[in-house]
Amino acid sequence: MKNLLKFIVILFSFYGFAQTDPCGSVINDTFDTAGALPTEWTEYNTSGSVTVANGKLKFEHSTTMPSAYRTLTPVTSNAAFSFDVNASRNSVNGQVHLVSSTGKHLTSISVGKGTASIKIATVMENGVPGGFADGTPVVTLNKDTDYSISAQINFTTKKVNLYNKGELVYEGAPFLEEAEDIAKIDIQLLYMYANNGQFYFDNIAILNASENRILLQGTVGAAETLISTAVVGEKYNQYSQSGVDAFQTAITNANIALANCEATSATLDAALADLQAAEVAFEATRVNDPVLKIYSEYDFSGTEHQMYCGYYNGTLGDYDNWAVSFTLDKGYMVTFAEDVNGTGVSKVYVAQDNNLRINLPAVLQKTASFIRVSPWKDVLKKGMGAKGDAVVAALNTSWHYNWGNDGEAIGDAEFVPNQWGGGSIDKPISLGKRMDISHHMAFNEPDNDDQSNMTTDKAIEKYELLLASGLRLGSPANTDGARGETWRNEFMTKAEAAGLRVDYMVVHYYKKTTPANFYNWLKKIYDKWQRPIWIKEFNYGATWVSNKPTTNQAASDGLESYLNKLDETDFIERYAVFTWQPDSEVYSLMSVRYPVTLSISGEMYRDHVSPVAYTQEVYEQGANLAVGDAEVDAKVLVYPTIVDNGILNIKYSEEFAQNNVALTFYNTMGQQVKKVTGLKSRINVSELSNGLYIIKIKSDLGTSTKKIIIQ
């Protein structure tokens, strides 16, 4: 029964039962009418600071502590309590209390207290709730972000379970005082940084119903959410139309059962069983085809092995150090790397416009121990850096980031994680296992003392860890001054010398200039490093620059001229305007941050239509470096394997004396960079740049390949 109740409340809390089913609903406040506080609610401590705005209960904080409560018919049996919450700042302390008819506290939930997280009280301290404890995982409070919080109240055990978006985060918090019922919801906004900001509450509900009715409604809610996000198609994670239709029929039948408040337990149980069976059948129609085929020999010959979307980090088994060539279906991307955790030589292949048929570069032939294959989405150039779903939706962007690694797609806008500073290898690995993302951006302004502030050596060390994601990986984002340029060039020089894959350059730009000057600045970076560019943050001026627009219209016109230039520049892959500059509304995209109110520039950006971001790369075919048999390999000695004095030594067995011999050197892209004929015992390689090379040794006896590193 304990596990059943946990499951019931998980479903209820995530899918909002009390909002859709009147059977068992005690209260269901959705705050649909703007203006004064509803009559069911009473404000205290303040007057006029608690109102209804934008469909939410709004608490406006200043120097006082706005508070409000709502009484209800006492609930004496097990119940579920839920609410949605959003705060305009991270540093806040809002508390939601459930109180009995005798004034005793059952439980208290704190939003933002202390470490900017959502906690539950565990004891009474000096007559008020205290001992607030984080759950597992910790629910970090980010400003302008919606959270769905709920609690299961068990009057038998006198315990409370706390949930965030349906996930149990704290189990078994004790009733704070001896309480026999729930009779009041009390909300107090105790603190907000700088005494300025807002709290928003919505969908405050208490549910008291039979267990099987709650379980059925929760299952219906889960099913409705699942089917609402299902995409019909033939690609990974998509569903067949017939599967969608059958599942929808089962959902409709379950809702018919729920609509009858007099339905028997047997009727509800039968509807639940039918719906669960329909969901299993629906999931079985989800597409997961083998989109990658790797081959043991050159030109797609030898043995074929089929692979599904997934993250294969040292888990290739018999296919470790095996692949020589591959095919990849259109609409997918794959990363091959020489070593586990994506290190060593690595390369990303994207099949955006057509199926790919690729012979791997020489250094990756029969050496890949890491493969990641995932869907690829056509994304437009225009993106957004923002925290909060509302901002991304309001500006109609195709991708978004939030300066962190935790995030999801918002509507059709793809999420791109951004590693702010250093970190462990655990996060890149968890990102690599996600099939809904394809890119990753490195550190935020490491050349800036006020941002991630990293030396290039530290950045190189941490950047190598990011390769474990297997995602298409962007450089650290530098500022637009001389210091940023110096840092970027130093980092890229070291990254290339270390053989670290950098797929695209990431920059910031806030200067007010002409589109031509902006283009020339970007072109200089592209010409030097020969990689597409993302402008992760930019605008036509900023609060900290001396030359900036003075009117909203001038700012909008200047920004639009930038956008048009970026759209027509093929080496610009993506861009994201910096949305919010609170010290000046002139060039901010929002005149009000929450609720989102767009400025003239914001409306222009919302309506601007950009082209597709990625231009299909034409990949070179790796050279045919079929490895000779062990007998031939053993007859040639190449040393040292790490060349630091420009001289490579070759020692041959006696059988080579009467044979023609040719040594061909290839870089990591499979390109020939040097060729030597004859039985040379010493070869000068000082003209080759630092890095890893493959040497193909061809003779009448057969062929062998060797690896060297030049330092």
Side-chain angles (χ1 to χ4, degrees):
M1 179 60 69
K2 180 179 178 182
N3 289 334
L4 173 62
L5 286 174
K6 284 201 295 184
F7 179 58
I8 289 169
V9 178
I10 288 173
L11 292 172
F12 160 70
S13 60
F14 191 58
Y15 299 107
F17 171 45
Q19 300 174 42
T20 58
D21 192 337
C23 307
S25 177
V26 179
I27 65 167
N28 176 26
D29 290 351
T30 55
F31 309 105
D32 298 323
T33 303
L37 194 63
T39 56
E40 297 86 359
W41 286 83
T42 301
E43 180 180 2
Y44 64 99
N45 286 336
T46 54
S47 177
S49 295
V50 184
T51 58
V52 176
N54 299 294
K56 293 177 172 57
L57 186 63
K58 175 183 176 182
F59 288 70
E60 184 73 43
H61 189 77
S62 55
T63 57
T64 54
M65 297 182 293
S67 306
Y69 68 85
R70 187 205 202 283
T71 58
L72 57 135
T73 302
V75 175
T76 58
S77 58
N78 295 347
F81 167 61
S82 66
F83 61 90
D84 296 340
V85 64
N86 183 305
S88 64
R89 293 184 180 273
N90 296 332
S91 185
V92 296
N93 182 10
Q95 294 187 9
V96 182
H97 312 287
L98 290 186
V99 184
S100 75
S101 56
T102 57
K104 302 296 185 181
H105 284 80
L106 288 85
T107 192
S108 295
I109 299 167
S110 175
V111 179
K113 179 179 173 63
T115 55
S117 60
I118 297 171
K119 305 176 175 68
I120 190 166
T122 57
V123 295
M124 293 292 286
E125 296 176 344
N126 299 319
V128 298
F132 287 94
D134 275 316
T136 304
V138 174
V139 182
T140 301
L141 178 72
N142 291 314
K143 59 185 177 181
D144 301 333
T145 301
D146 292 327
Y147 293 86
S148 295
I149 307 300
S150 61
Q152 177 219 340
I153 313 300
N154 191 317
F155 281 96
T156 303
T157 63
K158 306 291 186 180
K159 300 286 187 181
V160 180
N161 292 343
L162 181 67
Y163 298 83
N164 171 51
K165 294 185 176 179
E167 181 179 8
L168 179 65
V169 295
Y170 196 101
E171 183 176 15
F175 276 19
L176 298 177
E177 297 178 290
E178 284 294 327
E180 301 300 326
D181 59 29
I182 304 170
K184 183 169 74 171
I185 301 169
D186 188 4
I187 302 176
Q188 301 174 329
L189 181 50
L190 303 179
Y191 170 76
M192 184 162 272
Y193 177 73
N195 287 325
N196 180 268
Q198 303 82 34
F199 252 97
Y200 294 87
F201 289 88
D202 197 8
N203 300 321
I204 300 175
I206 291 181
L207 177 70
N208 181 7
S210 64
E211 291 176 359
N212 57 353
R213 174 171 286 278
I214 297 175
L215 182 57
L216 176 58
Q217 180 58 46
T219 306
V220 168
E224 288 176 336
T225 298
L226 175 60
I227 201 170
S228 70
T229 58
V231 178
V232 175
E234 299 178 351
K235 289 180 59 176
Y236 173 79
N237 241 18
Q238 296 179 344
Y239 296 84
S240 68
Q241 185 63 60
S242 60
V244 170
D245 293 342
F247 192 30
Q248 183 59 63
T249 298
I251 293 172
T252 300
N253 292 338
N255 274 318
I256 291 172
L258 285 171
N260 179 11
C261 292
E262 304 303 321
T264 66
S265 178
T267 298
L268 296 174
D269 288 343
L272 175 63
D274 290 344
L275 183 56
Q276 289 173 333
E279 182 171 343
V280 171
F282 174 66
E283 285 290 2
T285 70
R286 185 166 52 164
V287 177
N288 187 15
D289 295 330
V291 296
L292 174 69
K293 297 179 179 65
I294 57 177
Y295 297 86
S296 61
E297 302 298 338
Y298 195 79
D299 272 345
F300 328 106
S301 59
T303 305
E304 175 189 283
H305 175 58
Q306 298 182 345
M307 299 184 68
Y308 297 82
C309 286
Y311 179 78
Y312 307 93
N313 184 8
T315 58
L316 291 169
D318 292 341
Y319 303 99
D320 185 27
N321 298 325
W322 187 85
V324 174
S325 55
F326 72 90
T327 63
L328 180 67
D329 289 353
K330 178 182 176 182
Y332 295 88
M333 65 174 278
V334 63
T335 302
F336 291 90
E338 184 180 18
D339 302 321
V340 295
N341 293 332
T343 55
V345 177
S346 65
K347 186 165 179 61
V348 177
Y349 294 89
V350 176
Q352 174 174 272
D353 298 343
N354 47 263
N355 297 339
L356 296 183
R357 292 173 60 84
I358 301 291
N359 291 295
L360 286 167
V363 74
L364 283 174
Q365 291 180 22
K366 292 189 180 295
T367 65
S369 296
F370 174 105
I371 297 177
R372 180 188 182 275
V373 57
S374 68
W376 174 266
K377 181 181 178 182
D378 287 340
V379 173
L380 306 183
K381 288 189 178 186
K382 186 180 78 172
M384 181 51 53
K387 294 185 177 181
D389 296 7
V391 178
V392 177
L395 289 161
N396 188 31
T397 60
S398 189
W399 64 280
H400 75 102
Y401 69 95
N402 59 16
W403 292 273
N405 283 319
D406 295 317
E408 305 288 341
I410 298 176
D412 291 330
E414 180 186 65
F415 174 66
V416 178
N418 179 199
Q419 179 69 36
W420 174 272
S424 71
I425 199 170
D426 295 336
K427 194 61 181 183
I429 289 175
S430 66
L431 291 173
K433 293 178 179 178
R434 290 178 56 172
M435 294 291 104
D436 61 327
I437 56 178
S438 53
H439 294 77
H440 195 192
M441 294 185 289
F443 323 117
N444 191 82
E445 297 188 0
D447 55 294
N448 189 336
D449 295 342
D450 295 330
Q451 298 297 311
S452 62
N453 188 25
M454 303 169 72
T455 66
T456 54
D457 287 337
K458 176 59 70 174
I460 288 292
E461 174 191 337
K462 294 298 184 180
Y463 186 90
E464 186 171 15
L465 300 180
L466 303 186
L467 290 168
S469 70
L471 298 166
R472 198 160 174 263
L473 188 56
S475 72
N478 295 112
T479 55
D480 52 24
R483 184 177 182 180
E485 179 181 12
T486 299
W487 196 101
R488 175 172 51 251
N489 291 341
E490 184 178 326
F491 172 85
M492 288 300 296
T493 299
K494 291 177 179 178
E496 290 194 341
L500 302 182
R501 171 171 54 83
V502 181
D503 294 303
Y504 52 95
M505 306 299 297
V506 184
V507 298
H508 292 173
Y509 192 87
Y510 284 100
K511 293 178 179 178
K512 171 181 170 288
T513 185
T514 65
N517 285 341
F518 189 14
Y519 169 87
N520 290 336
W521 183 80
L522 294 164
K523 184 68 163 54
K524 180 181 177 182
I525 298 171
Y526 175 74
D527 287 345
K528 184 173 183 63
W529 299 113
Q530 290 297 299
R531 289 166 175 83
I533 294 176
W534 289 26
I535 307 102
K536 182 169 74 70
E537 290 183 24
F538 79 108
N539 210 325
Y540 188 72
T543 58
W544 54 87
V545 301
S546 57
N547 180 28
K548 51 196 171 191
T550 57
T551 67
N552 296 87
Q553 192 61 57
S556 180
D557 292 345
L559 179 59
E560 188 171 21
S561 71
Y562 277 5
L563 300 182
N564 292 334
K565 190 66 176 178
L566 298 177
D567 285 345
E568 68 183 32
T569 302
D570 57 3
F571 62 79
I572 298 302
E573 201 165 272
R574 299 194 189 189
Y575 56 75
V577 174
F578 190 67
T579 57
W580 176 244
Q581 298 186 32
D583 295 334
S584 175
E585 296 178 5
V586 172
Y587 27 80
S588 176
L589 297 188
M590 297 176 289
S591 56
V592 178
R593 191 172 189 178
Y594 194 89
V596 176
T597 304
L598 299 181
S599 65
I600 294 174
S601 294
E603 291 175 348
M604 179 277 296
Y605 197 64
R606 175 197 64 198
D607 298 335
H608 184 83
V609 179
S610 63
V612 172
Y614 180 77
T615 300
Q616 178 66 65
E617 183 176 348
V618 179
Y619 300 103
E620 294 186 15
Q621 298 292 333
N624 186 357
L625 297 178
V627 178
D629 57 39
E631 183 179 353
V632 176
D633 286 341
K635 296 177 180 179
V636 183
L637 177 63
V638 175
Y639 65 98
T641 54
I642 299 177
V643 181
D644 57 8
N645 63 356
I647 301 298
L648 179 67
N649 300 292
I650 312 289
K651 185 175 182 180
Y652 305 95
S653 67
E654 293 182 1
E655 291 94 325
F656 275 83
Q658 304 300 320
N659 280 270
N660 296 312
V661 178
L663 287 76
T664 308
F665 292 70
Y666 297 88
N667 63 18
T668 58
M669 298 301 296
Q671 300 166 324
Q672 179 179 319
V673 295
K674 184 180 181 69
K675 187 170 184 178
V676 178
T677 58
L679 291 172
K680 300 289 194 302
S681 60
R682 286 168 58 86
I683 299 176
N684 189 334
V685 293
S686 59
E687 78 277 14
L688 299 180
S689 59
N690 293 349
L692 180 65
Y693 293 88
I694 291 288
I695 307 173
K696 179 182 178 182
I697 304 171
K698 187 175 182 179
S699 72
D700 296 337
L701 295 176
T703 302
S704 176
T705 57
K706 305 289 185 180
K707 290 183 186 179
I708 64 167
I709 296 174
I710 297 179
Q711 291 186 344

